Amino acid sequence: DYLQTCGLHTPYTITGKCGWQGSAYVLPNGEIIGKTKERIIYNGDTSQAAAYTVSGSLKEWQDEIARYAAGNSRLLLALGTALAAPLLAITGEQNGGFYIYGDSSDGKTTAALVALSVFGNPQALKMTWRGTDLGFSNAALSRNDGLLVLDEIGEAYPKTISKTAYSVINGKSKIQGAKDGGNRAAQEWHILLFSTGEYSMNAYMNQTGEKWEAGQAVRLPSIPAAT
């Protein structure tokens, strides 16, 4: 009776999806960024919560990481992609991404790690292409309104790459039936994808006998790592 009649009547929002919840930005570790009166409890995927951590100050990040991007178009692209990701929902822009390719010493992975330094521990946040298109869609959902980095495309099956380019960047989960009948509620997300590999997407897919369609190339353009 006390809980029903005398307790606080403060409303809470319980969400299974990170990203923007009203005026609050929820990180995948449940941390809330931004001044807001809303009380939010994150009840989603926390498998990478430990990776979304603070290391040092903004000034240290600027001095030890960001300053090296001056005059380097690829590092600027990486940082710009990371900083733009949370703005998609606000500006009404569509999902998309960039694929950086080149030799092993061209700094592709370094650019990816620099991008991830915006959000937390780069090594812990970086993912590889070893997985399924459904798994990557789940990864995108768990990083809603954020950045997804997939390193070294040579580890992926060509069909997985093709499906991922559509499913992840389209921002909608596939239709799945519910055990009690009907369909499960569809999931949607906003995401920017940053990926790396040794060959351009078109060249890599042609080597494996697959096609890289124009629609996929628009969603995930190939950019040489060498500036």
Side-chain angles (χ1 to χ4, degrees):
D1 290 341
Y2 171 80
L3 292 176
Q4 294 295 328
T5 60
C6 299
L8 295 176
H9 296 279
T10 305
Y12 280 80
T13 297
I14 300 177
T15 178
K17 187 164 67 172
C18 60
W20 291 107
Q21 298 292 331
S23 59
Y25 185 83
V26 183
L27 286 171
N29 61 359
E31 181 183 351
I32 299 174
I33 298 176
K35 295 181 179 179
T36 177
K37 295 181 179 179
E38 300 174 74
R39 291 170 171 81
I40 299 170
I41 297 174
Y42 176 59
N43 193 35
D45 181 3
T46 58
S47 59
Q48 283 204 310
Y52 287 86
T53 182
V54 176
S55 178
S57 65
L58 172 61
K59 181 66 165 56
E60 289 173 325
W61 179 81
Q62 292 171 330
D63 290 342
E64 298 177 20
I65 296 178
R67 74 182 182 90
Y68 293 105
N72 187 314
S73 61
R74 299 309 183 260
L75 289 183
L76 288 172
L77 175 64
L79 283 176
T81 303
L83 294 170
L87 304 179
L88 293 181
I90 296 175
T91 59
E93 292 294 332
Q94 296 182 354
N95 297 349
F98 300 98
Y99 170 72
I100 306 297
Y101 70 94
D103 296 334
S104 59
S105 59
D106 280 349
K108 307 181 301 297
T109 299
T110 298
L113 294 175
V114 166
L116 287 173
S117 72
V118 172
F119 289 92
N121 183 336
Q123 290 290 355
L125 290 172
K126 178 173 67 70
M127 298 182 67
T128 69
W129 273 95
R130 185 178 298 172
T132 66
D133 60 299
L134 178 57
F136 292 132
S137 292
N138 290 336
L141 177 62
S142 70
R143 292 162 176 76
N144 179 53
D145 291 325
L147 177 71
L148 175 62
V149 168
L150 297 178
D151 197 29
E152 295 301 337
I153 205 167
E155 298 185 19
Y157 291 108
K159 288 187 180 298
T160 299
I161 299 170
S162 180
K163 290 181 179 179
T164 299
Y166 276 123
S167 61
V168 168
I169 297 179
N170 277 348
K172 293 183 179 181
S173 63
K174 69 177 184 180
I175 297 175
Q176 293 179 295
K179 64 179 181 179
D180 297 325
N183 292 330
R184 300 180 187 178
Q187 296 282 5
E188 297 186 3
W189 56 83
H190 295 97
I191 200 80
L192 282 181
L193 173 63
F194 195 86
S195 182
T196 70
E198 292 190 2
Y199 304 98
S200 70
M201 279 288 191
N202 191 49
Y204 181 76
M205 297 297 275
N206 285 339
Q207 284 180 0
T208 57
E210 295 289 331
K211 286 187 176 181
W212 186 243
E213 304 292 348
Q216 295 164 312
V218 169
R219 289 171 170 81
L220 193 63
S222 296
I223 300 174
T227 56

